[in-house]
Amino acid sequence: KKQVERNRKILGTFVMFVIILVMILFLIFKVFFKINTIQISGKNPYNETQIINAAGVSKGDSLLSCDEEKISDSIRRNLPYIYSATIKKKIPSTLIIETKSTSAFIAVQTVSGTALADKEGKVLEFASEDKTKGKIIKLEAGIAFPAKIGEKIFETESDNEQSRQLKDKEKTLKAVLDAINSSGIKDITLIDIKSTSNIYMTYQDRFRLNIGSISEIDYKLKAAVQIIASENKAAPSERGEIFLSNPDNIYVSPETN
């Protein structure tokens, strides 16, 4: 009997401890440490209200309950010109949102019209012809890509002949963009992937770059950077074609008048 009574007391004490612990946690997450200040930093085309709305948070929310990854994803998805959003919590009541912006890099024909995408293929907006001029690269793919604002172009899931062709184009475009980023080549005005085995690019409307396939494309574009630098130094007005399709036999063919 005494043992039973002792066990009841132990159980009662444990239950009381759990209840108190739950109450403390409730107070910490729901009552204390509420968001009172939201600090936003970084240059981008959006105002603070737009960023806060996209984040899905507001003053009075529990700071500790905020999901940093979810907030970051929501901001980048709803505000496509934001490249990254780093979320930090400063106890007791401050949520910090640090943003980095991205910019239009390439104009892509999609089923919804001309889209502007960044260097990683993220669709930023659907744009008029005027917005595609200037330093934005024009893509000629011979196909219209499915596209949604805030998402990357390279995401086709259906499996039929048309989608397989599309996936081949997406794979090629991704490889080309990755190689442009890694090689550091500048002033490309046109990318032609109508044939994925015979890719062409145009540099400053002066040189046509004969790439061939995406095989060793990083090496090909790095070689192009060196050749262009040499050509710019020796003959800055020269025009022609740079043959890069065979990495073992890269050469320049000047334009003949």
Side-chain angles (χ1 to χ4, degrees):
K1 224 172 188 183
K2 287 182 179 180
Q3 183 65 38
V4 172
E5 188 66 28
R6 189 179 299 112
N7 289 341
R8 283 179 179 174
K9 286 183 179 180
I10 293 172
L11 180 60
T13 302
F14 176 75
V15 170
M16 184 60 66
F17 171 78
V18 170
I19 292 172
I20 292 171
L21 180 61
V22 169
M23 289 177 66
I24 291 172
L25 291 175
F26 176 81
L27 290 172
I28 290 174
F29 280 91
K30 298 297 182 181
V31 179
F32 303 128
F33 302 115
K34 287 187 175 182
I35 297 173
N36 185 51
T37 304
I38 301 176
Q39 294 179 356
I40 298 173
S41 63
K43 292 183 179 180
N44 58 73
Y46 307 105
N47 59 45
E48 290 192 358
T49 300
Q50 288 174 302
I51 294 172
I52 291 171
N53 288 341
V57 296
S58 58
K59 292 182 179 180
D61 290 348
S62 169
L63 180 67
L64 299 182
S65 297
C66 288
D67 186 324
E68 292 98 322
E69 186 176 350
K70 185 178 179 180
I71 293 171
S72 178
D73 288 344
S74 181
I75 291 172
R76 288 184 289 110
R77 185 177 62 255
N78 290 293
L79 304 177
Y81 276 94
I82 290 182
Y83 173 75
S84 67
T86 302
I87 314 302
K88 297 179 180 179
K89 299 172 182 178
K90 185 177 180 181
I91 302 298
S93 60
T94 301
L95 183 72
I96 301 170
I97 302 175
E98 298 174 350
T99 66
K100 291 182 180 180
S101 64
T102 186
S103 59
F105 182 72
I106 187 169
V108 181
Q109 289 303 313
T110 77
V111 294
S112 302
T114 302
L116 298 182
D118 69 4
K119 283 187 175 183
E120 296 185 354
K122 178 186 178 184
V123 177
L124 306 176
E125 64 174 300
F126 295 107
S128 63
E129 192 69 25
D130 291 340
K131 278 199 171 184
T132 64
K133 296 177 182 178
K135 294 184 178 181
I136 296 174
I137 297 171
K138 180 181 178 183
L139 174 71
E140 293 184 357
I143 196 169
F145 294 92
K148 292 182 180 179
I149 292 176
E151 295 183 6
K152 291 186 178 180
I153 297 168
F154 327 115
E155 295 172 355
T156 301
E157 296 182 357
S158 56
D159 188 20
N160 52 50
E161 183 59 31
Q162 184 177 4
S163 70
R164 283 192 287 272
Q165 292 176 6
L166 186 59
K167 285 179 181 179
D168 188 36
K169 299 279 187 178
E170 290 172 343
K171 177 184 176 182
T172 300
L173 178 57
K174 185 177 187 305
V176 169
L177 292 180
D178 288 346
I180 288 174
N181 292 332
S182 64
S183 68
I185 192 167
K186 307 292 184 183
D187 297 327
I188 296 298
T189 55
L190 174 72
I191 298 172
D192 184 335
I193 60 168
K194 289 193 292 292
S195 169
T196 56
S197 59
N198 292 289
I199 302 164
Y200 292 93
M201 296 184 195
T202 303
Y203 167 81
Q204 284 189 351
D205 294 323
R206 283 178 52 212
F207 285 106
R208 188 186 197 216
L209 310 185
N210 186 325
I211 306 295
S213 71
I214 59 174
S215 175
E216 297 185 73
I217 190 169
D218 285 349
Y219 175 83
K220 293 173 183 177
L221 289 192
K222 287 176 182 177
V225 169
Q226 295 179 349
I227 292 170
I228 289 169
S230 177
E231 291 293 326
N232 286 341
K233 186 176 180 180
S237 61
E238 186 170 78
R239 307 170 69 88
E241 186 163 0
I242 303 175
F243 288 85
L244 302 152
S245 56
N246 181 359
D248 296 324
N249 185 29
I250 293 174
Y251 63 95
V252 180
S253 176
E255 186 180 73
T256 56
N257 294 326

